[in-house]
Amino acid sequence: MLSDLYISGLRLDRQRLGEAGDRYFLSIPAIQNLDALDFHSRTTFFVGENGTGKSTLLEAIAVKYGFNPEGGSPNFSFSTKETHSPLHQCLVLSKGIRRPQNGFFLRAESFYNVASEVDRLAEAAPGGEGFLEGYGGHLHEKSHGESFLALVMNRFNGKGLYILDEPEAALSPSRQMSLLKLIYDLSAQGAQFIIATHSPILMALPGAELYALEQHEIRLVSYEETEHYMVMRQFLNHPDGMLRELGIEPRQVPRNHR
């Protein structure tokens, strides 16, 4: 059955591993044991602890599809320093019957570089201010979170593929909820999102698919199974107890503040 997703899955072509040069990514157990993943939802999350390979896998998907490794649309070709892994050389993507009319790859660590490239393109374009309006204005004249949301609100639409690496890094909890609503609305209009995240707020998106990258495998999990949800719930429900477990004495609230 043909999928109407832009990317309906992936597999690791082990015959290409010898051609990939530096294969440090195979030291990541979840990727070492990767065979194939299928995507069924318009929003897929990669979740897991630091170092489990979320960003490495997400980056490989983006580069394999044709996005600039540092971020931007498929038309962005700038490079400040090549640090991406060769994992994309070993990936085979399953594509659906549709092709996106829009697309963006955004990663928290290089968003500044993307904003700088937008400014450079605006300077080179006839009517540069009009070009910038498509991104919500001068991104460097806003805070990190404001510029990130401005780009999503103005540049993303319901006919695109969007690959986001830890978008919550720029956003307060309330702004994460704003992004959650944008993802929900755009997905309903036909957009597809693949996101690596630590945010329990974003993970709560109804109908989303959550792949947990664990010590030796990648598996589908429910929202309530994620460590992020369980730890955050435990902390919010019992902050003093969690602080004591960490060897931190809970703060004493002055009497007149009670």
Side-chain angles (χ1 to χ4, degrees):
M1 180 178 177
L2 292 175
S3 171
D4 66 348
L5 297 177
Y6 301 122
I7 299 177
S8 59
L10 61 87
R11 66 180 176 86
L12 185 63
D13 185 346
R14 295 190 175 275
Q15 292 185 345
R16 298 183 185 177
L17 291 179
E19 306 169 7
D22 179 9
R23 294 175 290 164
Y24 78 88
F25 56 83
L26 285 181
S27 66
I28 303 172
I31 293 179
Q32 185 179 36
N33 296 319
L34 173 64
D35 180 23
L37 297 177
D38 294 322
F39 302 150
H40 302 99
S41 172
R42 294 203 175 280
T43 302
T44 300
F45 290 110
F46 293 153
V47 304
E49 258 300 341
N50 294 327
T52 54
K54 301 183 305 299
S55 295
T56 299
L57 181 56
L58 191 82
E59 173 192 81
I61 293 171
V63 174
K64 186 68 177 183
Y65 203 87
F67 289 99
N68 183 54
E70 291 189 42
S73 76
N75 297 323
F76 280 42
S77 59
F78 73 94
S79 176
T80 55
K81 185 176 181 180
E82 290 193 7
T83 59
H84 59 289
S85 85
L87 176 58
H88 65 279
Q89 299 173 21
C90 309
L91 282 189
V92 178
L93 300 181
S94 299
K95 299 179 181 179
I97 58 176
R98 301 185 304 144
R99 292 292 179 268
Q101 298 179 21
N102 191 17
F104 237 84
F105 174 38
L106 290 177
R107 49 196 315 171
E109 63 192 34
S110 58
F111 183 79
Y112 180 92
N113 299 342
V114 171
S116 297
E117 179 66 2
V118 169
D119 278 352
R120 188 193 70 78
L121 291 172
E123 290 174 2
E129 289 300 322
F131 179 90
L132 285 171
E133 286 179 6
Y135 290 85
H138 285 278
L139 298 181
H140 279 314
E141 294 181 357
K142 308 175 190 295
S143 72
H144 189 184
E146 289 174 326
S147 61
F148 185 94
L149 275 181
L151 190 153
V152 173
M153 292 174 64
N154 290 275
R155 188 64 174 75
F156 289 17
N157 62 42
K159 297 180 180 179
L161 171 66
Y162 306 107
I163 301 176
L164 311 179
D165 187 19
E166 299 185 8
E168 71 276 7
L171 305 174
S172 69
S174 64
R175 291 294 187 256
Q176 289 180 45
M177 288 189 281
S178 297
L179 178 61
L180 179 71
K181 181 63 164 65
L182 288 168
I183 294 170
Y184 178 80
D185 289 343
L186 291 171
S187 297
Q189 296 167 24
Q192 181 179 1
F193 289 84
I194 305 174
I195 303 171
T197 187
H198 293 288
S199 170
I201 293 175
L202 297 181
M203 292 178 206
L205 183 74
E209 198 168 41
L210 287 86
Y211 274 109
L213 281 76
E214 299 178 337
Q215 188 58 35
H216 296 291
E217 64 177 342
I218 302 175
R219 66 185 183 97
L220 279 171
V221 297
S222 69
Y223 177 56
E224 291 78 9
E225 285 182 89
T226 63
E227 183 179 5
H228 309 72
Y229 169 83
M230 291 188 286
V231 169
M232 187 60 68
R233 182 183 64 176
Q234 180 73 4
F235 188 88
L236 292 177
N237 288 341
H238 307 285
D240 288 357
M242 292 286 282
L243 288 171
R244 290 192 177 97
E245 283 189 25
L246 295 171
I248 301 172
E249 187 60 30
R251 66 188 180 92
Q252 300 297 317
V253 180
R255 290 181 180 274
N256 60 348
H257 285 184
R258 294 178 180 175

